[in-house]
Amino acid sequence: MILLDKPYVSKFLKETIVKYEFPVIDTGNVTEHGELSLISSDEIVQKFRDNPDSRIYTNSENSINWVVNHLGFTRLPDYINIFKNKIEFRKLIQSMYPDFFFKEVSLQDLDEVDLDELPMPFIIKPAIGFLSLGVHKVVDESDWLKVKALIHEEFTDAKALFPIEVVNASSFLIEEVIDGEEFAFDAYFDENGDAVILGISKHLFASDKDVSDRVYYTSKELIKTYLPSFLGFVKDLGNAAELKNFPVHVEVRVDENGKLIPIEVNPMRFGGWCTTADLTYMATKLNPYHCFLTNVKPNWDQVLEEMDEEIYSLVILDNSTGIPSKEIVEFDYDTLLARFCEPIELRKIDYKMYSIFGMLFTKTPKEKFVEIEEILVSNLKEFVL
């Protein structure tokens, strides 16, 4: 079963729903009338009462409130809270990473934080958040003053866009900086609690201070390299939380010694805005939505054997121009597309509402990867009017 909600449902997810006739409800009025054959909330509730091993996927954490209100008799609300609340997540894995520093602080107590008690630099993020909203790296005292002001500004705007279950500014997590390269992967746990990985991507950054979501990419080489260690971690995670019939989107860092430290785990979904699952399909022909909902465990040896050697990237065109989105008249998508060898799909976003111009999926030969490196560091000013 699938819950659909704002902000975005991809064409690929809709096609998957139609092809496999997955039961679906629209909790956010994001589909056109008659576009999909919808069922009632009562039907989904009854399916879970009849079969505790039922599975449900949502494209957006906006649907969390629906799950809590309608499926409170299942373990789903407990699973969601463990991962959606980053404080609870750190407590869950504390025994796995006993030396890792983290601290909880409320919004109103930010001015009372004693920097002498914190590792410098450090990361601050909302205990419950979405995308990179409210996530900042602090390197010194003057930086801290700027970050506090930014946090207050960001959450004033965010409360008008997202429900309280998605963005809750009452509590923040301060934690030590996790060194290493960053990765994201989608996975699920079956009815026995066994872990299944459904795709791996690498998150690129423009600089040491960059915390944006501009570029993710995947490739045959990348998946082959990291699949064993990531599977080992997610197995331990599933055992710690006793997860069953549950999808997750995991973000980790791997240091120069190969040590993996998790950043966060997002519940009930794969990458937000239908991103990483769709990217996986483009690169591997593996459909993560179908795999989870029908209990398919990929034969990764075969998948990797059939993959090409190209690099498949997701470029998130966030507004980094320094110009308020409401003051931008137009974004030149044609000029943007001309910069890439093989654009696969462009998804235009209402940037005046979400401060994101769009999502671009590309296919790039290894020798042309400079096109990805260039968009990674671009402030996108050259594309706006």
Side-chain angles (χ1 to χ4, degrees):
M1 291 164 280
I2 297 179
L3 304 181
L4 298 180
D5 211 315
K6 295 180 178 67
Y8 187 85
V9 183
S10 71
K11 179 182 177 183
F12 176 61
L13 177 53
K14 292 176 183 177
E15 290 173 344
T16 298
I17 292 169
V18 172
K19 180 177 180 179
Y20 297 105
E21 298 182 340
F22 288 133
V24 60
I25 65 172
D26 183 349
T27 57
N29 296 317
V30 290
T31 59
E32 300 294 332
H33 179 70
E35 182 180 17
L36 298 172
S37 180
L38 304 177
I39 66 173
S40 70
S41 296
D42 290 342
E43 288 179 86
I44 286 187
V45 172
Q46 191 58 50
K47 286 180 182 292
F48 272 88
R49 291 194 182 279
D50 293 340
N51 179 13
D53 284 332
S54 293
R55 297 185 183 186
I56 194 164
Y57 176 86
T58 178
N59 68 302
S60 168
E61 290 183 13
N62 287 4
S63 297
I64 284 176
N65 189 50
W66 187 96
V67 174
V68 172
N69 289 336
H70 291 82
L71 300 175
F73 59 92
T74 71
R75 294 199 63 186
L76 291 176
D78 292 333
Y79 291 161
I80 290 168
N81 184 62
I82 287 173
F83 296 121
K84 191 58 189 164
N85 188 315
K86 294 177 178 61
I87 304 293
E88 293 303 314
F89 172 61
R90 283 294 170 209
K91 291 177 181 178
L92 172 71
I93 62 171
Q94 193 165 20
S95 62
M96 297 166 62
Y97 301 91
D99 298 326
F100 187 82
F101 176 90
F102 68 94
K103 176 184 177 66
E104 183 178 9
V105 60
S106 65
L107 180 64
Q108 59 265 31
D109 289 338
L110 288 180
D111 288 331
E112 308 302 320
V113 170
D114 185 351
L115 292 183
D116 292 334
E117 297 179 356
L118 304 179
M120 190 70 75
F122 62 84
I123 297 290
I124 182 168
K125 63 178 75 171
I128 300 176
F130 186 61
L131 291 174
S132 296
L133 186 67
V135 180
H136 297 278
K137 184 176 182 179
V138 178
V139 298
D140 55 35
E141 185 174 356
S142 63
D143 209 24
W144 177 231
L145 296 176
K146 297 174 186 176
V147 165
K148 284 190 293 183
L150 277 173
I151 287 174
H152 285 287
E153 179 182 340
E154 288 169 340
F155 279 88
T156 298
D157 295 338
K159 288 177 182 178
L161 290 177
F162 300 102
I164 194 66
E165 291 82 9
V166 175
V167 181
N168 187 329
S170 64
S171 183
F172 285 80
L173 171 67
I174 292 176
E175 62 184 19
E176 66 180 83
V177 171
I178 303 173
D179 292 322
E181 298 179 307
E182 185 168 318
F183 300 86
F185 63 91
D186 298 322
Y188 77 85
F189 301 88
D190 68 12
E191 68 279 3
N192 299 314
D194 292 334
V196 180
I197 286 184
L198 297 174
I200 297 172
S201 58
K202 185 174 183 178
H203 184 183
L204 297 183
F205 294 97
S207 67
D208 289 341
K209 283 204 68 176
D210 183 17
V211 294
S212 72
D213 290 316
R214 175 60 61 81
V215 171
Y216 292 81
Y217 79 85
T218 191
S219 68
K220 178 178 182 176
E221 181 180 349
L222 184 74
I223 296 172
K224 188 175 182 179
T225 300
Y226 291 98
L227 184 63
S229 61
F230 289 2
L231 183 58
F233 164 75
V234 81
K235 284 181 178 179
D236 292 340
L237 178 70
N239 291 334
E242 299 180 351
L243 300 174
K244 294 182 179 181
N245 300 301
F246 197 70
V248 291
H249 177 71
V250 185
E251 298 174 12
V252 302
R253 284 202 176 224
V254 178
D255 67 18
E256 58 186 8
N257 298 315
K259 182 180 180 181
L260 181 156
I261 298 180
I263 300 170
E264 63 184 38
V265 176
N266 297 283
M268 290 287 296
R269 63 171 175 85
F270 303 135
W273 295 65
C274 297
T275 50
T276 54
D278 293 27
L279 180 65
T280 291
Y281 178 76
M282 293 172 191
T284 69
K285 302 305 180 227
L286 185 73
N287 187 328
Y289 308 115
H290 175 256
C291 289
F292 167 61
L293 291 170
T294 60
N295 204 30
V296 170
K297 298 175 174 60
N299 180 337
W300 276 108
D301 288 338
Q302 181 179 344
V303 172
L304 290 168
E305 178 67 26
E306 295 175 356
M307 285 181 67
D308 60 34
E309 302 294 334
E310 309 293 82
I311 295 172
Y312 292 79
S313 301
L314 161 67
V315 180
I316 301 177
L317 303 164
D318 56 306
N319 183 5
S320 54
T321 63
I323 305 170
S325 295
K326 293 180 180 179
E327 296 179 12
I328 294 175
V329 177
E330 186 179 347
F331 187 89
D332 190 345
Y333 295 101
D334 291 336
T335 298
L336 171 81
L337 291 174
R339 302 291 176 86
F340 296 90
C341 295
E342 191 173 341
I344 300 174
E345 181 181 347
L346 172 65
R347 300 173 179 175
K348 298 179 182 180
I349 305 295
D350 182 352
Y351 59 84
K352 293 185 185 295
M353 176 176 289
Y354 293 107
S355 289
I356 299 174
F357 300 112
M359 309 274 187
L360 175 64
F361 295 83
T362 70
K363 179 179 179 179
T364 309
K366 290 181 180 179
E367 64 272 16
K368 300 290 183 62
F369 194 68
V370 65
E371 68 182 24
I372 301 300
E373 295 172 332
E374 288 175 350
I375 198 67
L376 174 66
V377 299
S378 173
N379 60 17
L380 305 183
K381 277 188 178 181
E382 60 189 302
F383 305 112
V384 302
L385 300 175

